[in-house]
Amino acid sequence: VSATRHLQYWRREAMMLGDMRSELSLCNEMIGLCRRTNDIEEANAVIGRVDFLIDKLRIENTASAGTVYLNMATTLKHFGDSEKALLFYEKTERIYQTTLSQNAYEYAALFNNKAAVLEELGRYEEAFTLLHKALETLDLLSCHRIDKAISYVNLARLLFVWKEDTDAVDRYLALAWETVCESGISHDGAYA
């Protein structure tokens, strides 16, 4: 509740000052908070405002906008709007393709999240391919190795839902556990 009040206060301040960039940043944080607090009404209102701000600031083709769209898509998926979420994931991917290196960390997050929507829509092979692409990206980024555990768990869930392949599920869960237990993995916020 206090986090919501805090963000709303600073959003009003940014709006009064006409500081659309700060407002956009605060709205992006608010979208994530709405997902965590299950506030669908506020999430939809803020998502609408974010769309307006990105357009007004003319930043729709920047990596920053892509990351905001990724957050919007993840929130839409959380609230059950997988079709609309998929549109924002695709928009994010198009932006990333023109603004980021093909091995950028942001792709791993995009692929993991987009795969969950594809799974929900019954597009299992596409989800499987994306999760392996996430792993390939993370293999190149030693500082983000812990994120491989997420991809492995996502693969385990996917193969259970898709093929009820408990052997594959066990293999992927074992790989996730090995990743979590690897020496040299930082025990930071990502690890938690």
Side-chain angles (χ1 to χ4, degrees):
V1 177
S2 62
T4 301
R5 282 195 313 267
H6 183 74
L7 285 172
Q8 287 172 339
Y9 171 82
W10 287 110
R11 275 185 60 208
R12 283 191 303 274
E13 287 292 312
M15 289 171 81
M16 286 189 323
L17 294 170
D19 184 353
M20 288 188 285
R21 287 188 185 278
S22 293
E23 184 187 354
L24 176 60
S25 179
L26 292 161
C27 284
N28 189 43
E29 293 300 322
M30 192 71 183
I31 290 169
L33 180 62
C34 289
R35 186 170 63 243
R36 288 169 185 82
T37 59
N38 282 315
D39 189 344
I40 190 171
E41 289 177 22
E42 182 70 11
N44 286 329
V46 176
I47 284 171
R49 180 67 178 168
V50 164
D51 242 356
F52 167 80
L53 290 169
I54 287 173
D55 184 55
K56 192 78 170 165
L57 290 166
R58 297 186 175 146
I59 60 167
E60 59 276 351
N61 294 313
T62 64
S64 297
T67 300
V68 174
Y69 289 140
L70 177 66
N71 190 25
M72 291 165 63
T74 304
T75 299
L76 289 165
K77 192 260 183 224
H78 174 81
F79 289 117
D81 196 346
S82 292
E83 294 288 344
K84 191 171 182 182
L86 185 58
L87 295 174
F88 279 105
Y89 284 132
E90 289 169 348
K91 192 174 202 174
T92 300
E93 191 166 4
R94 283 192 301 274
I95 291 168
Y96 283 177
Q97 287 170 343
T98 61
T99 60
L100 299 175
S101 152
Q102 67 183 33
N103 298 322
Y105 169 73
E106 289 83 355
Y107 278 109
L110 169 62
F111 296 154
N112 270 311
N113 285 294
K114 185 177 176 184
V117 164
L118 291 170
E119 176 188 325
E120 196 168 281
L121 295 172
R123 294 166 60 178
Y124 302 125
E125 287 184 39
E126 292 173 75
F128 185 80
T129 299
L130 276 185
L131 290 170
H132 279 281
K133 285 175 74 172
L135 287 167
E136 289 169 14
T137 301
L138 292 168
D139 276 337
L140 302 170
L141 304 167
S142 60
C143 61
H144 294 286
R145 283 196 56 75
I146 191 63
D147 289 1
K148 289 180 73 172
I150 295 167
S151 299
Y152 289 135
V153 169
N154 288 346
L155 278 162
R157 185 194 61 240
L158 172 66
L159 285 166
F160 183 77
V161 170
W162 179 19
K163 298 186 178 197
E164 295 181 17
D165 184 344
T166 56
D167 289 336
V169 169
D170 289 343
R171 280 193 309 277
Y172 283 120
L173 289 176
L175 288 168
W177 183 248
E178 285 175 28
T179 303
V180 168
C181 295
E182 264 182 37
S183 64
I185 294 282
S186 296
H187 289 209
D188 55 10
Y191 182 86

